[in-house]
């Protein structure tokens, strides 16, 4: 029987893959045999991550790009098409946030969060559709947040964008099933990444988080990456349109 727990001969592109969860995903997919494209806005960080992966004997390419810019998205697609001719795995990981009360956001801040978290992911998924269809067995996985499933203190625009991606996951899963493209999402709770480092250094805040988390600890990026990898492998071939909370039990914790 074919090994269902491998990504050998697969090609994957991960946005925002030089730090935190995205970095862990790139390393997880590469370790399972996938060729990976590292995408981020900092050229040196892209080069460093590619060097790290190739130094381990993995196949990796770098693309310096800002996913919010149409010309950069177009260049990303062209690069993958020229080098690989298809795409088996697209991981929409890029995300940003500005934590404020709803009445305090400027219009610029509001649109910046939507453009990065929602619009860019939607456009990239559409643009990569032809290359994903060529795969014959492709997977799209978006990294969301439990903020898209219930209220958090992260701010309304952030939660709105993540909730929208939950619905996008369902819509694309149904639309693209006939093209042999599965679409799923993971929704992490607090994870040890640079984005939340300052928050978790506040002991009172950290204690509040842990009180609501049955497993009583913060997730490691590698734990989220493992869930993403599962959705990319043949082992999950009958799963599509789902959002998996990687949250230590947070979203099912009552009183």
């Amino acid at each position: 029987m074919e090994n269902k727990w491998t990504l050998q001969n697969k090609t994957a592109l991960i946005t925002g893959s030089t730090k935190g969860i995205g970095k862990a995903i790139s390393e997880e997919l590469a370790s399972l045999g996938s060729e990976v494209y590292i995408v981020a806005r900092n050229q040196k960080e892209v080069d460093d991550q590619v060097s790290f992966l190739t130094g381990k004997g993995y196949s990796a390419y770098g693309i310096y790009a800002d996913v919010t810019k149409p010309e950069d998205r177009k260049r990303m697609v062209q690069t993958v098409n020229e080098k690989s001719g298809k795409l088996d795995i697209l991981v929409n990981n890029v995300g940003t946030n500005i934590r404020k009360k709803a009445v305090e956001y400027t219009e610029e801040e509001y649109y910046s969060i939507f453009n990065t978290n929602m619009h860019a992911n939607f456009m990239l998924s559409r643009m990569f559709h032809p290359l994903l269809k060529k795969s014959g067995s492709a997977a799209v996985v978006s990294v969301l947040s439990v903020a898209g499933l219930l209220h958090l203190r992260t701010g309304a625009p952030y939660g709105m964008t993540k909730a929208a991606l939950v619905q996008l996951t369902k819509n694309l899963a149904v639309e693209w099933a006939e093209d042999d493209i599965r679409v799923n999402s993971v929704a992490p709770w607090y994870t040890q990444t640079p984005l939340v480092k300052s928050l978790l250094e506040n002991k009172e805040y950290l204690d509040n988080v842990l009180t609501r988390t049955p497993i009583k600890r913060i997730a490691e990026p590698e734990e989220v990456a493992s869930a993403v990898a599962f959705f990319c492998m043949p082992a999950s071939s009958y799963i599509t349109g789902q959002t998996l909370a990687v949250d230590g039990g947070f979203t099912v914790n009552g009183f």
Side-chain angles (χ1 to χ4, degrees):
M1 177 183 287
E2 181 186 357
N3 186 356
K4 297 182 294 183
W5 302 90
T6 182
L7 293 175
Q8 287 291 336
N9 302 316
K10 299 292 186 180
T11 297
L13 182 141
I14 309 102
T15 62
S17 42
T18 60
K19 296 178 182 177
I21 292 172
K23 182 175 185 292
I25 292 170
S26 73
E27 293 166 13
E28 181 81 2
L29 300 191
S31 73
L32 290 165
S34 179
E35 170 184 75
V36 298
Y37 284 86
I38 304 301
V39 180
R41 292 179 297 176
N42 185 301
Q43 181 72 67
K44 183 181 184 305
E45 291 176 359
V46 169
D47 293 341
D48 287 347
Q49 184 63 3
V50 170
S51 295
F52 173 78
L53 292 172
T54 55
K56 286 181 168 290
Y58 303 141
S59 178
Y61 300 105
I63 303 176
Y64 163 70
D66 182 341
V67 299
T68 66
K69 296 180 178 178
E71 61 273 20
D72 282 16
R73 293 195 293 263
K74 183 178 180 181
R75 181 164 49 80
M76 288 166 61
V77 175
Q78 289 175 335
T79 300
V80 176
N81 186 41
E82 291 169 3
K83 286 184 179 292
S84 303
K86 68 177 177 66
L87 186 65
D88 303 293
I89 298 163
L90 171 63
V91 181
N92 290 313
N93 171 68
V94 163
T96 191
N97 193 21
I98 302 168
R99 291 175 173 82
K100 289 185 175 183
K101 293 182 179 179
V103 295
E104 295 176 352
Y105 286 95
T106 65
E107 262 193 70
E108 183 180 2
E109 290 171 335
Y110 172 81
Y111 284 117
S112 173
I113 294 170
F114 266 75
N115 196 30
T116 302
N117 293 0
M118 189 180 72
H119 180 68
N121 286 350
F122 176 66
M123 295 305 295
L124 265 183
S125 296
R126 291 201 320 162
M127 293 172 71
F128 272 115
H129 176 266
L131 291 178
L132 290 163
K133 186 175 180 179
K134 283 184 180 181
S135 165
S137 180
V140 177
V141 184
S142 293
V143 179
L144 313 185
S145 166
V146 291
L149 306 177
L150 39 71
H151 166 72
L152 293 184
R153 304 177 195 178
T154 51
Y158 183 79
M160 291 161 68
T161 59
K162 297 302 184 177
L165 292 176
V166 172
Q167 186 60 43
L168 179 62
T169 296
K170 296 175 182 179
N171 283 102
L172 293 186
V174 175
E175 285 189 25
W176 293 358
E178 63 184 22
D179 298 323
D180 294 316
I181 303 170
R182 295 183 299 109
V183 186
N184 293 290
S185 301
V186 297
W189 177 218
Y190 277 106
T191 306
Q192 298 283 7
T193 68
L195 190 64
V196 298
K197 186 176 184 293
S198 61
L199 280 175
L200 299 181
E201 286 175 345
N202 181 323
K203 187 179 184 305
E204 182 180 357
Y205 193 93
L206 175 61
D207 288 344
N208 285 335
V209 169
L210 297 180
T211 297
R212 301 294 302 134
T213 308
I215 287 183
K216 299 299 180 188
R217 64 176 176 83
I218 303 301
E220 295 297 330
E222 293 76 15
E223 293 176 300
V224 181
S226 294
V228 172
F230 171 68
F231 278 137
C232 297
M233 291 189 289
S236 62
S237 58
Y238 201 61
I239 302 174
T240 195
Q242 303 303 306
T243 297
L244 174 65
V246 184
D247 66 353
F250 168 72
T251 54
V252 296
N253 189 18
F255 176 73

